[in-house]
């Protein structure tokens, strides 16, 4: 398969994933577009070096995450993980009688979003890949740590998030 054909196939198969990763690491729409283009450039440049040691989708994730982290520059330690839930449109899913539940859901989502943004860079990367539905092995391949380390880290992150959210509930 020619390089151009392979690149086009990769783009077709992974376009939405790459866009979500760019959204995770940047809230500004124009920066997301620039980051997306940078990911595509890096995929194109690196394509000749892809050895097939992992699935191509895993390799694409690795390129996208690394590009996103590099794109954000020195400020990446403070970067926000932009988990998207269209809370503005929750009302379209709920009846007026469900308004109290809607408010509770939006409040919980905002609290979770705040806690996610307090995570370290590596923890943000782990959680964003987990939310993408990747297996522990795929995440390990992308991040470059062992699968067992990924499992432990994700378990600890989840436990920490749960504890912090429960502590906030108990303060009220």
């Amino acid at each position: 398969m020619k390089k151009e054909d392979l690149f086009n196939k990769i783009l077709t198969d992974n376009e939405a994933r790459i866009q979500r990763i760019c959204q995770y690491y940047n809230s500004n729409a124009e920066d997301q577009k620039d980051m997306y283009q940078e990911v595509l450039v890096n995929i194109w440049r690196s394509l000749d070096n892809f050895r097939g040691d992992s699935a191509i989708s895993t390799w694409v994730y690795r390129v996208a995450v690394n590009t996103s982290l590099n794109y954000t520059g020195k400020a990446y330690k403070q970067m926000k993980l932009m988990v998207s839930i269209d809370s503005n449109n929750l009302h379209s899913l709920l009846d007026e009688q469900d308004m109290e539940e809607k408010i509770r859901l939006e409040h919980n989502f905002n609290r979770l979003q705040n806690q996610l943004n307090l995570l370290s860079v590596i923890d943000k990367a782990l959680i964003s890949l987990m939310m993408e539905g990747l297996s522990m092995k795929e995440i390990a391949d992308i991040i470059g740590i062992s699968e067992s380390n990924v499992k432990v880290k994700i378990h600890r992150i989840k436990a920490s998030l749960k504890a912090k959210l429960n502590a906030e509930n108990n303060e009220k």
Side-chain angles (χ1 to χ4, degrees):
M1 183 178 284
K2 292 186 340 192
K3 182 177 180 178
E4 186 175 334
D5 294 336
L6 180 57
F7 177 79
N8 288 331
K9 178 169 178 20
I10 289 170
L11 181 58
T12 300
D13 294 347
N14 296 281
E15 181 175 14
R17 288 181 188 132
I18 296 168
Q19 287 174 341
R20 281 193 305 272
I21 289 171
C22 293
Q23 290 169 354
Y24 287 149
Y25 291 99
N26 205 311
S27 60
N28 180 290
E30 289 304 312
D31 287 342
Q32 288 172 10
K33 290 177 187 174
D34 291 345
M35 189 183 293
Y36 179 80
Q37 291 301 316
E38 189 74 22
V39 170
L40 296 185
V41 166
N42 286 339
I43 288 172
W44 176 262
R45 286 182 182 156
S46 303
L47 200 51
D48 292 331
N49 298 328
F50 178 67
R51 298 183 312 259
D53 294 342
S54 63
I56 197 134
S57 60
T58 301
W59 176 78
V60 167
Y61 271 113
R62 176 175 273 175
V63 171
V65 168
N66 288 336
T67 301
S68 297
L69 290 173
N70 288 334
Y71 185 89
T72 56
K74 294 186 186 282
Y76 70 84
K77 288 188 178 182
Q78 287 79 38
M79 75 182 177
K80 301 233 183 260
L81 181 62
M82 307 310 297
V83 179
S84 179
I85 181 172
D86 195 355
S87 57
N88 294 332
N89 291 327
L90 281 177
H91 64 86
S92 66
L93 300 174
L94 304 170
D95 295 333
E96 288 301 316
Q97 55 199 204
D98 294 329
M99 194 57 67
E100 189 173 313
E101 177 68 9
K102 173 190 174 272
I103 291 168
R104 188 185 68 74
L105 286 172
E106 286 180 354
H107 178 70
N108 286 341
F109 172 75
N110 289 333
R111 289 176 39 231
L112 177 60
Q113 181 83 36
N114 290 336
Q115 289 300 322
L116 288 170
N117 286 324
L118 295 175
L119 295 174
S120 70
V121 174
I122 189 71
D123 290 353
K124 287 175 187 174
L126 288 165
I127 289 297
S128 69
L129 293 169
M130 185 201 72
M131 290 186 314
E132 281 292 306
L134 272 67
S135 71
M136 297 298 160
K137 176 161 180 22
E138 291 170 316
I139 294 171
D141 290 345
I142 292 165
I143 300 294
I145 60 177
S146 71
E147 186 176 349
S148 60
N149 199 355
V150 168
K151 289 177 184 176
V152 168
K153 285 184 174 291
I154 288 179
H155 176 75
R156 287 181 182 160
I157 294 166
K158 286 178 166 181
S160 174
L161 287 172
K162 186 176 181 179
K164 288 175 182 174
L165 293 173
N166 284 337
E168 285 180 14
N169 280 341
N170 294 334
E171 290 174 4
K172 294 180 182 182

